[in-house]
Amino acid sequence: MIQALTASSWTQRSLHRSLLAEMPWRPIARYRRQLERIRHVPPQLIVEPSTQWRAMLQRAGAGSDMWFEACALVDHVCRRALAKVPYDTQWLAALAMLDGRLAEMATGEGKTLALGLAAAVAALSGRRVHVLTSNPYLVERDALLLAPLYLALGLRVRSVAEGNDLDGRRQAYRADIVYATAKTVVFDALRDEVVARGETGELMMGARVLVEGEAAVPVLPALDMVLIDEADSILVDEASMPLIVSAPQKDPATRVRTWTAWKHATALVAGRDYTLDEGRRQIHLKSPRLPVLERVWISEAHRDEWIETALRARHFHLKGRDYVVRDGLVCIVDPITGRVAEGRQWGRGLHGMVALKEKLVPPPELVTVAQTTYSCFFPRYRDMAGMSGTLRELRSELRSIYSLDMVAIPLRRPSRRLNMGFRVFDDESSLHASLVDRIRGLTKANRAVLVGTDTVACSERVSRALSDAGVAHRVLNADQGAEEASIVGSAGAPGAVTVATHMAGRGTDIAVAPEVLAHGGLHVLSLQMNVTGRLDRQLIGRCARQGDPGSHEHWVSLELMKMEKMPLTKMTTRVFEAFGERLVASVMPASLRLFQRQRAQKARRHRARLHASARYWDQSLATAYRANEK
């Protein structure tokens, strides 16, 4: 009995120690001690980096005296070249990334410089560093912003964009530090693989057109170290979609099927000929009016599949939410960032059906040449780290897929953000009427206002309501991508009103004017029904940064709750009708949390299936290559 109790106690103590070790704040004490060593490096040991000095640092390795001297050198040069004094919290985040971890750093706390510090130290140590983000604008901005720091340290820095020619990209990737979007690097890797595969025939011809000719040297060199900005967006949210290199497929039969299926689908009537399952986004055909088998169909199942695709395009893919039309083309809107997903196209005839719905010419169908996912690609790097403002909800998933642990970086100053809670309205029109009054009051008080919306269509309806009331404002959505920097740059001015879709994916700081701060700071008004609390926190994080004042509130309508099929909607409606808005507002947080938990679980299962499928694809290709070699 004593032995059993002792064993049990030992097991409990071991479990307790392991749980403590996993807590995201545990390594902070170690990084604080390292920061103290950096701050106390004698000035005479901070020397200009020479080739010999860098070789000695590479041999000494991380954690050596010389490594701390390199950190102190980067700190010193940062003050001189950028006229910026790195905060302790920025160094804590940089040290966490140099330790191979993900750093959770609140929005507005200076992630750009923290990534720069980590990249500079790693590059001085002989590593080739890729700094990746999901936003092309930030790639160019951050590379230019931090170039003086890198150049003063004798490091070469380049940025890579999709528009660069092949030779320019090849040279850029040979720099010490490379800024690029995650998609750019992955697609360059896929194109290199296609060229190296040695395929022949139509597929290879299409691939060679994509890569602008066969090259003897791969565009992308060996993958060494990667630092990922907005790591939750890239490693988790965007990992739910496979990354595919495609070539146009000249198949007249597919074009005929697209036109024929759309013609028949528009003749069918919902409820009579088919039913809609909006929750699962499925179509169930039940009509005897379906067309007879023609030569374009292989079988009844083949016919039904194409007609169901046409009906999904008709009912489930909405203009202003899922896509916009630009220059006569259907452009997909990224559901995470709210931007146009350049070059992306739906498959299995769906893109052509949506084009026909908009009375446009369907584009050619694409055939897959190579594909991967972020969860399969990023482990190819020797070392991986990154940061974001919203990681804690995903730490178990990030650890299981990428073997990355998270550390929470404390705030530099106590938060002064004021939460003004929820408001619930019967329908969108009453919400818009109150919104106009609310914004007028805030702008009269010299506050700046940011209104967050879910979709392009929603932002346009809000914009119309404000325009009709004579309220000056600017709109930032997928249709105004080119004006993003200008719109965000003026969003913190006194009386400024900005209506934006998915500010969580923008990554650009709003500089709040001193006059606005003196009157309470930026006010964020969310009209979004986000599927995850992380997106709520990223939107809220636009206000009250680094100890500045600011406030936020969340408005929803029962109409939107019903459309999104939120939990407790019926109960909320009854309470609203019986007791009014005030009592309902107290129920909303619980309803929203339950809704987000359900959506998060569904998304997690989808990502797990995609990861398993991608691993199978990679293993199948590897097996095929080995067989060909034999």
Side-chain angles (χ1 to χ4, degrees), residues 214-232:
E214 187 175 3
V217 179
V219 172
L220 195 68
L223 302 176
D224 189 7
M225 182 176 186
V226 63
L227 301 175
I228 305 171
D229 189 15
E230 303 298 345
D232 58 333

Side-chain angles (χ1 to χ4, degrees), residues 151-453:
L151 294 175
L153 291 167
L155 299 171
R156 295 170 300 147
V157 59
R158 294 285 298 273
S159 62
V160 179
E162 278 294 330
N164 298 148
D165 62 71
L166 201 63
D167 289 335
R169 292 151 84 95
R170 186 179 292 108
Q171 292 302 317
Y173 280 123
R174 269 66 186 174
D176 300 305
I177 300 171
V178 180
Y179 280 79
T181 64
K183 282 189 175 69
T184 297
V185 174
V186 173
F187 281 124
D188 281 337
L190 285 175
R191 289 162 185 153
D192 280 345
E193 289 178 10
V194 170
V195 172
R197 196 184 301 170
E199 295 277 357
T200 58
E202 187 175 335
L203 289 182
M204 191 56 201
M205 288 172 63
R208 284 176 178 169
V209 170
L210 287 175
V211 298
E212 303 175 12
E214 187 175 3
V217 179
V219 172
L220 195 68
L223 302 176
D224 189 7
M225 182 176 186
V226 63
L227 301 175
I228 305 171
D229 189 15
E230 303 298 345
D232 58 333
S233 176
I234 292 174
L235 296 180
V236 177
D237 296 330
E238 295 188 32
S240 62
M241 291 173 284
L243 300 160
I244 299 171
V245 172
S246 306
Q249 182 184 35
K250 295 181 179 179
D251 184 5
T254 300
R255 261 180 110 70
V256 172
R257 289 189 193 105
T258 302
W259 285 89
T260 305
W262 180 253
K263 181 186 73 173
H264 289 306
T266 53
L268 299 177
V269 178
R272 184 192 72 185
D273 304 322
Y274 59 90
T275 57
L276 300 173
D277 186 343
E278 295 185 4
R280 293 185 176 89
R281 293 170 69 90
Q282 292 178 349
I283 304 287
H284 301 288
L285 297 173
K286 61 177 184 179
S287 174
R289 297 177 177 80
L290 291 176
V292 296
L293 286 179
E294 305 171 33
R295 284 192 297 177
V296 296
W297 314 118
I298 298 172
S299 63
E300 289 188 1
H302 187 229
R303 175 200 64 191
D304 293 354
E305 179 185 353
W306 276 82
I307 291 177
E308 287 172 6
T309 299
L311 291 170
R312 279 198 296 274
R314 180 179 167 187
H315 293 287
F316 295 148
H317 290 75
L318 305 180
K319 184 178 180 180
R321 184 191 71 184
D322 302 303
Y323 66 92
V324 294
V325 176
R326 276 189 187 173
D327 302 324
L329 299 174
V330 171
C331 301
I332 297 174
V333 174
D334 191 308
I336 300 162
T337 66
R339 291 185 180 83
V340 168
E342 300 289 350
R344 192 182 300 173
Q345 183 171 316
W346 290 306
R348 297 179 178 272
L350 177 59
H351 208 94
M353 306 287 190
V354 174
L356 288 173
K357 181 172 75 169
E358 297 297 330
K359 297 179 172 54
L360 303 172
V361 177
E365 281 293 303
L366 301 177
V367 61
T368 298
V369 178
Q371 76 175 51
T372 189
T373 61
Y374 285 144
S375 58
C376 288
F377 175 77
F378 279 115
R380 300 179 190 176
Y381 280 92
R382 283 179 56 198
D383 290 296
M384 175 168 49
M387 64 191 315
S388 177
T390 47
L391 289 169
R392 64 191 66 180
E393 298 94 334
L394 300 169
R395 59 180 179 267
S396 61
E397 188 173 355
L398 290 165
R399 185 186 299 118
S400 64
I401 294 177
Y402 300 100
S403 300
L404 287 172
D405 288 320
M406 187 209 85
V407 58
I409 306 300
L411 294 174
R412 187 170 72 91
R413 293 174 179 167
S415 175
R416 296 170 60 191
R417 186 176 294 126
L418 177 62
N419 183 356
M420 303 183 71
F422 278 84
R423 287 195 66 184
V424 182
F425 298 85
D426 188 32
D427 53 32
E428 190 175 68
S429 60
S430 59
L431 184 151
H432 286 169
S434 296
L435 179 68
V436 169
D437 293 338
R438 180 73 171 130
I439 289 175
R440 278 177 173 158
L442 289 164
T443 54
K444 283 181 182 178
N446 281 327
R447 300 282 300 274
V449 183
L450 173 65
V451 181
T453 63

Side-chain angles (χ1 to χ4, degrees), residues 31-32 35 38-39 75 78-79 83-95 105 108-114 117 409-413 545-548:
Y31 300 142
R32 288 191 188 279
L35 181 57
I38 294 169
R39 297 291 193 212
D75 186 86
C78 182
R79 297 166 190 248
K84 291 179 180 289
V85 179
Y87 302 131
D88 286 359
T89 50
Q90 290 172 318
W91 264 115
L92 293 175
L95 291 169
M105 193 176 194
E109 290 286 301
K111 292 193 289 291
T112 300
L113 184 57
L117 297 174
I409 306 300
L411 294 174
R412 187 170 72 91
R413 293 174 179 167
R545 296 182 170 206
Q546 297 194 25
D548 289 338

Side-chain angles (χ1 to χ4, degrees), residues 577-591:
E577 292 170 350
F579 301 102
E581 177 194 335
R582 184 165 297 182
L583 186 59
V584 170
S586 64
V587 179
M588 272 305 301
S591 176

Side-chain angles (χ1 to χ4, degrees), residues 520-573:
L522 177 69
H523 182 77
V524 174
L525 209 162
S526 173
L527 307 182
Q528 297 178 189
M529 195 68 72
N530 286 318
V531 296
T532 168
R534 292 183 294 112
L535 298 179
D536 287 332
R537 287 202 285 136
Q538 288 179 19
L539 176 62
I540 291 166
R542 299 292 161 184
C543 69
R545 296 182 170 206
Q546 297 194 25
D548 289 338
S551 55
H552 67 93
E553 56 188 321
H554 200 155
W555 289 15
V556 296
S557 67
L558 293 174
E559 189 176 54
L560 181 60
M561 290 179 65
K562 292 172 185 174
M563 188 170 65
E564 294 289 345
K565 300 186 181 301
M566 279 187 63
L568 310 178
T569 298
K570 290 183 179 179
M571 183 192 77
T572 304
T573 304

